[in-house]
Amino acid sequence: MSARTIVLDGDTTPLVITARPSGEDYDPIPEGTTPERIRVVRARQVKAGDLLLGDFADDLGKPRRLFHWGEIVTAAPAPMTVPCWGRCCQEPPFCDVTRFIRLVPATDDSPCEIFAINAPVLIVQATEQPLSEGGTA
């Protein structure tokens, strides 16, 4: 797959999607995954059990390129909490926890995965879900 560009509903910034790299540094997409289940959605739309594949560079005013995560992570969305938030709350605009969502809890090996609620992320939907806001990758 060569690079594709999409724009999410209600947005104007192009998102550039590239094929997932292969090799030992990247988990493979689960066998049997249909292309329709690989989608770009806003972080607030991620459901428990969705697989997180990557997110997009924050290049304001420029097309945002997909950053493929090496490890595919199972989403467990939850509102922000103070313990998870502590490492990120350095400036007042970033302390408004209502503007962010935790998609993956912290583990012994890694911190929480925190996103702005409108941030685009690439997922594999856990199950077939009705198409809504977002775009097929």
Side-chain angles (χ1 to χ4, degrees), residues 84-114:
C84 189
W85 195 246
R87 69 179 182 87
C88 299
C89 190
Q90 298 172 359
E91 299 178 25
F94 297 107
C95 290
D96 180 359
V97 296
T98 64
R99 296 175 54 196
F100 295 85
I101 186 168
R102 185 204 78 198
L103 294 183
V104 180
T107 65
D108 290 341
D109 299 332
S110 64
C112 301
E113 291 292 343
I114 300 168

Side-chain angles (χ1 to χ4, degrees), residues 42-122:
R42 297 185 191 282
R44 69 174 183 269
Q45 297 172 295
V46 173
K47 307 286 185 220
D50 287 346
L51 301 178
L52 299 165
L53 302 176
D55 59 345
F56 291 81
D58 212 6
D59 297 331
L60 296 177
K62 298 180 183 177
R64 297 175 69 180
R65 298 194 64 79
L66 175 61
F67 173 74
H68 292 275
W69 296 0
E71 181 181 2
I72 295 176
V73 180
T74 302
M80 289 303 305
T81 59
V82 173
C84 189
W85 195 246
R87 69 179 182 87
C88 299
C89 190
Q90 298 172 359
E91 299 178 25
F94 297 107
C95 290
D96 180 359
V97 296
T98 64
R99 296 175 54 196
F100 295 85
I101 186 168
R102 185 204 78 198
L103 294 183
V104 180
T107 65
D108 290 341
D109 299 332
S110 64
C112 301
E113 291 292 343
I114 300 168
F115 292 88
I117 59 173
N118 288 326
V121 293
L122 183 67

